[in-house]
């Protein structure tokens, strides 16, 4: 059986859970270049997390990847979130689940260009709970979790959703932190160069750059 036609039921299932606060940053209270650069940098962390998985865990011919995140509706109703939205130029009615799905689809397309089977899912609710349910539903065999950005104080006082995922997961869990992600890991998602025997249309040789804005 050709590896390109291995049915999903026979593939190893890998769930990659991406931090919604990095994937789809909440509204900012200023419109400075620094804020825009910070948001783009956070999105690039998600790209590098997926690239790290491709370089170290994913077997393109044998695996299927579920790219998932969860948007908690109650998080947007906190005093801090409402206060930020009052002084932000961004539309307060922005559909964050739709933005998250678009971001995941860009990552899925990047995986597809390097021969990896992938699908996306945006859930609603508390992240650790939803990820655990997702792993059970898809019979995940490996869970890779993007560690959220937290202060030293917060890390010492309570568990993050990523820590809870590692504790509750029914399968082996890999926690990927910022320090695990050198910039050059992104090359793992570079499409392969055409072989000498492959006829290439010049118009097709221009691969789209990842969009982190």
């Amino acid at each position: 059986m050709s590896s390109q036609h291995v049915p999903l039921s026979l593939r190893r299932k890998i769930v990659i859970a991406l931090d919604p606060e990095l994937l789809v940053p909440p509204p900012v209270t200023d419109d400075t270049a620094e804020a825009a650069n910070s948001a783009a940098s956070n999105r690039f962390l998600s790209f590098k997390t997926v690239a790290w998985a491709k370089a170290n865990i994913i077997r393109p011919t044998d695996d299927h990847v579920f790219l998932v995140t969860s948007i908690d509706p109650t998080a947007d109703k906190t005093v801090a979130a409402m206060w930020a939205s009052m002084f932000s130029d961004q539309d307060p009615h922005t559909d964050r689940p739709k933005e998250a799905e678009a971001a995941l689809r860009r990552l899925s397309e990047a995986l597809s260009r390097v021969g990896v089977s992938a699908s996306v899912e945006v859930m609603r609710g508390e992240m650790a709970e939803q990820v655990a349910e997702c792993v059970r539903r898809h019979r995940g065999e490996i869970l890779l979790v993007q560690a959220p950005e937290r202060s030293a104080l917060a890390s010492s006082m309570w568990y993050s959703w990523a820590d809870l995922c590692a504790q509750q997961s029914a399968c082996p869990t890999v926690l990927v932190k910022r320090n695990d992600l050198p910039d050059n890991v992104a090359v793992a998602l570079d499409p392969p160069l055409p072989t000498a025997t492959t006829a290439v249309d010049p118009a097709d040789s221009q691969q789209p750059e990842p969009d982190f804005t």
Side-chain angles (χ1 to χ4, degrees):
M1 180 182 295
S2 172
S3 60
Q4 286 82 1
H5 298 92
V6 176
L8 178 60
S9 60
L10 297 180
R11 289 180 178 266
R12 184 176 64 162
K13 283 79 172 178
I14 299 176
V15 177
I16 300 180
L18 297 167
D19 183 7
E21 298 302 315
L22 298 179
L23 192 67
V24 185
V28 295
T29 56
D30 58 84
D31 193 26
T32 63
E34 182 179 355
N37 289 338
S38 176
S41 176
N42 286 342
R43 293 189 181 97
F44 188 46
L45 278 177
S46 298
F47 183 84
K48 291 198 296 183
T49 299
V50 175
W52 187 94
K54 166 62 174 62
N56 294 280
I57 295 178
I58 297 171
R59 302 192 299 252
T61 58
D62 301 322
D63 296 341
H64 180 82
V65 174
F66 296 93
L67 297 169
V68 306
T69 194
S70 184
I71 304 297
D72 188 350
T74 62
D76 294 330
K77 297 179 181 179
T78 63
V79 173
M82 290 188 290
W83 182 263
S85 67
M86 289 174 61
F87 296 95
S88 172
D89 292 332
Q90 299 182 22
D91 184 353
H93 303 294
T94 297
D95 190 336
R96 292 192 73 215
K98 185 176 293 185
E99 286 191 3
E101 182 177 358
L104 290 179
R105 289 202 179 281
R106 288 194 291 270
L107 294 172
S108 175
E109 290 165 2
L111 284 173
S112 179
R113 288 195 292 270
V114 292
V116 177
S117 171
S119 55
V120 307
E121 184 173 352
V122 178
M123 301 167 288
R124 308 293 194 279
E126 196 275 323
M127 188 71 175
E129 178 181 324
Q130 294 301 317
V131 169
E133 173 58 29
C134 178
V135 170
R136 287 191 292 269
R137 184 169 64 254
H138 294 301
R139 299 182 179 180
E141 296 169 67
I142 296 178
L143 170 62
L144 186 144
V145 178
Q146 179 185 26
E149 299 289 290
R150 308 176 73 214
S151 67
L153 178 61
S155 298
S156 66
M157 293 183 65
W158 59 81
Y159 290 123
S160 70
W161 65 263
D163 297 324
L164 294 175
C165 281
Q167 293 177 5
Q168 300 171 4
S169 176
C171 67
T173 302
V174 179
L175 185 64
V176 181
K177 301 180 180 180
R178 178 190 287 265
N179 292 340
D180 299 323
L181 302 172
D183 286 342
N184 62 4
V185 75
V187 302
L189 292 182
D190 284 349
L193 295 174
T195 63
T197 58
T198 303
V200 179
D201 185 333
D204 295 335
S205 63
Q206 300 297 320
Q207 293 292 340
E209 293 293 329
D211 180 10
F212 305 114
T213 59

